[in-house]
């Protein structure tokens, strides 16, 4: 498929007084976490700043949504907070980690979550009760990131120079992925159940088959270390053909976004990314769909499955369901500070 993407900034916020360490999108909500100990909230649909959440005592290191109804946050203080996006009430503060929470992953069902931290542990949380269900020490050291596969049948934990793929039923590591050359893993993301897309310190994005652990593609194009990757589905309408009776059909295309520390964002067609190279073919992929230069030092990225205009199809995207599934608990009783300026404000955005 011959396609290209052109991007331009829509809006920007002076979000924090400290370095931004984490981003997450759930429905129309964007959350950002920083070294200033705040979680800043935005409405992407209205392009409006909503306010700040003040619950953690330390850098906000992890943010993740379950659909658009709930959000989990982790911090240097070792705590994980469960937030309800309807009113941004802190429903529960889950304690267990003894050090910085590096990553949180919510199961597709919304009933459980995994977290890894600097205390060399992975913890399973019962989100229906807001309590820790189990804890396992990681002999490899501190896990840097944890992600569920889309079906929820397994998960992966990333370390500096190793990724462990685990089976959910047994919680056993069934496969280990290590880079072909000595480098550092910085981030990872599942594409379907069969592929892990990994951003590395050596400026490369590597794609692995999760069933075999084989490296199937190397994405080449960044000029600095990879900081983050994410995925988004966008509508694509081919140019009109000479045959006027044939109407160009709009298709939904899965796109990988990758960003390096020099502020360059590249976009890749995932259909081509996961295509296994034939015998004798180079596994290096250099052709991207486009790029955007932020002219800033980038620390993280989040892609929005957003609010598109009609581009030829009657419907190209639908908003997620408002039904709340999975997380359902009473607000915590030990939360002193809940939020700051979360109601609609008449003040101008920064």
């Amino acid at each position: 498929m011959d396609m290209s993407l052109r991007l331009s900034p829509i809006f920007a916020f002076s979000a924090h007084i400290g370095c931004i360490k984490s981003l997450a999108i759930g429905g129309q909500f964007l959350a950002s976490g920083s070294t200033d100990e705040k979680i800043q909230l935005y409405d992407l649909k209205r392009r409006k700043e909503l306010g700040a959440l003040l619950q953690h005592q330390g850098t906000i290191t992890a943010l993740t949504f379950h659909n658009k109804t709930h959000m989990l946050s982790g911090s240097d203080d070792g705590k994980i907070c469960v937030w309800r996006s309807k009113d941004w009430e802190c429903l529960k503060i889950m304690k267990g980690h003894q050090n910085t929470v590096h990553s949180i992953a919510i199961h597709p069902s919304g009933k459980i979550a995994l977290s890894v931290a600097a205390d060399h542990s992975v913890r399973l949380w019962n989100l229906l009760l807001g309590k820790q269900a189990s804890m396992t020490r990681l002999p490899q050291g501190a896990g840097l990131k944890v992600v569920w596969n889309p079906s929820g049948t397994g998960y992966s934990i990333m370390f500096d120079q190793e990724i462990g793929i685990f089976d959910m039923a047994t919680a056993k590591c069934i496969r280990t992925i290590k880079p072909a050359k000595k480098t550092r893993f910085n981030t990872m993301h599942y594409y379907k159940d069969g592929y892990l897309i990994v951003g590395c310190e050596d400026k490369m994005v590597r794609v692995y088959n999760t069933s075999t652990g084989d490296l199937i593609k190397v994405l080449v194009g960044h000029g600095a270390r990879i900081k983050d990757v994410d995925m988004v589905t966008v509508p694509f309408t081919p140019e009109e053909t000479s045959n006027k009776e044939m109407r160009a059909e709009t298709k939904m295309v899965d796109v990988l976004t990758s960003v390096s520390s020099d502020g360059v964002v590249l976009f890749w067609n995932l259909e081509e990314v996961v295509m296994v190279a034939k015998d004798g073919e180079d596994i290096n992929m250099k052709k991207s769909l486009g790029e955007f230069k932020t002219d800033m030092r980038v620390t993280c990225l989040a892609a929005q499955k957003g609010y598109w205009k009609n581009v030829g199809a009657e419907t190209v995207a639908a908003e997620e369901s408002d039904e709340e599934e999975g997380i359902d608990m009473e607000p915590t009783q030990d939360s002193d500070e809940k939020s700051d300026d979360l109601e609609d404000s008449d003040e101008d955005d920064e």
Side-chain angles (χ1 to χ4, degrees):
M1 183 184 297
D2 187 15
M3 64 177 291
S4 62
L5 293 177
R6 294 184 300 273
L7 293 99
S8 59
I10 296 177
F11 69 101
F13 285 106
S14 298
H16 298 272
I17 61 174
C19 178
I20 296 175
K21 291 293 188 180
S22 54
L23 287 173
I25 294 176
Q28 70 192 68
F29 299 115
L30 167 68
S32 60
S34 168
T35 55
D36 62 12
E37 304 184 0
K38 292 183 180 180
I39 301 170
Q40 204 72 32
L41 298 170
Y42 309 88
D43 187 318
L44 293 172
K45 193 172 184 179
R46 294 186 295 163
R47 301 175 188 175
K48 183 180 181 64
E49 186 174 359
L50 299 179
L53 302 175
L54 305 171
Q55 188 66 66
H56 289 286
Q57 296 178 334
T59 297
I60 310 302
T61 53
L63 294 168
T64 186
F65 276 90
H66 174 61
N67 295 328
K68 61 180 179 182
T69 61
H70 294 82
M71 182 183 75
L72 269 61
S73 61
S75 169
D76 277 345
D77 59 15
K79 300 174 184 176
I80 296 175
C81 294
V82 181
W83 304 90
R84 182 175 57 201
S85 64
K86 181 172 63 177
D87 52 8
W88 294 108
E89 180 83 11
C90 181
L91 300 180
K92 198 72 175 180
I93 301 175
M94 302 190 298
K95 301 177 181 179
H97 284 296
Q98 303 302 310
N99 211 320
T100 301
V101 177
H102 286 160
S103 179
I104 306 168
I106 302 175
H107 189 269
S109 69
K111 297 178 180 179
I112 58 175
L114 289 169
S115 62
V116 292
D119 60 8
H120 297 196
S121 72
V122 55
R123 296 174 192 259
L124 176 68
W125 304 92
N126 183 328
L127 296 181
L128 300 179
L129 300 177
K131 296 181 179 180
Q132 179 177 300
S134 67
M135 185 276 287
T136 303
R137 293 292 175 187
L138 297 170
Q140 301 93 329
L144 302 178
K145 192 173 181 69
V146 58
V147 291
W148 289 97
N149 63 17
S151 68
T153 58
Y155 56 93
S156 293
I157 299 177
M158 184 188 78
F159 304 91
D160 271 347
Q161 297 180 1
E162 179 179 320
I163 294 174
I165 300 176
F166 293 78
D167 177 66
M168 178 186 174
T170 63
K172 301 294 184 183
C173 182
I174 58 175
R175 192 160 291 103
T176 300
I177 294 175
K178 294 185 178 181
K181 58 179 289 187
K182 189 173 182 180
T183 185
R184 183 175 186 263
F185 291 140
N186 289 337
T187 187
M188 66 176 176
H189 201 294
Y190 267 100
Y191 177 55
K192 302 180 178 178
D193 279 7
Y195 306 98
L196 263 179
I197 299 176
V198 186
C200 303
E201 188 75 12
D202 62 359
K203 311 174 187 177
M204 306 296 180
V205 178
R206 291 178 169 84
V207 184
Y208 295 92
N209 184 308
T210 58
S211 298
T212 63
D214 293 339
L215 175 66
I216 62 173
K217 199 67 64 73
V218 179
L219 308 186
V220 182
H222 284 286
R225 65 182 180 272
I226 309 301
K227 295 297 293 184
D228 213 347
V229 296
D230 204 351
M231 297 171 194
V232 64
T233 302
V234 300
F236 170 67
T237 305
E239 293 183 1
E240 295 290 345
T241 64
S242 58
N243 186 347
K244 296 182 179 181
E245 295 181 358
M246 295 180 60
R247 179 185 177 186
E249 181 183 357
T250 297
K251 298 181 179 180
M252 304 305 294
V253 179
D254 293 332
V255 173
L256 170 70
T257 61
S258 58
V259 65
S260 46
S261 58
D262 59 3
V264 175
V265 185
L266 293 180
F267 305 88
W268 313 84
N269 187 335
L270 274 164
E271 182 179 348
E272 298 176 359
V273 166
V274 300
M275 192 178 298
V276 178
K278 298 178 181 179
D279 292 340
E281 285 186 346
D282 189 359
I283 65 172
N284 291 341
M285 179 175 172
K286 301 179 181 179
K287 182 182 178 182
S288 63
L289 298 176
E291 73 171 38
F292 178 72
K293 297 180 179 179
T294 65
D295 296 323
M296 290 179 282
R297 182 180 177 86
V298 174
T299 56
C300 48
L301 171 148
Q304 162 71 349
K305 298 183 179 180
Y307 303 95
W308 301 306
K309 295 181 180 180
N310 192 305
V311 291
E314 293 182 0
T315 304
V316 296
E319 293 188 30
E320 296 174 12
S321 171
D322 289 331
E323 294 181 5
E324 297 185 14
E325 297 180 357
I327 305 174
D328 185 16
M329 60 181 75
E330 294 299 321
T332 182
Q333 300 298 317
D334 57 354
S335 299
D336 296 324
E337 295 179 284
K338 291 187 174 60
S339 63
D340 175 35
D341 188 27
L342 290 181
E343 298 297 327
D344 289 347
S345 173
D346 293 327
E347 296 180 3
D348 294 334
D349 296 333
E350 293 184 357

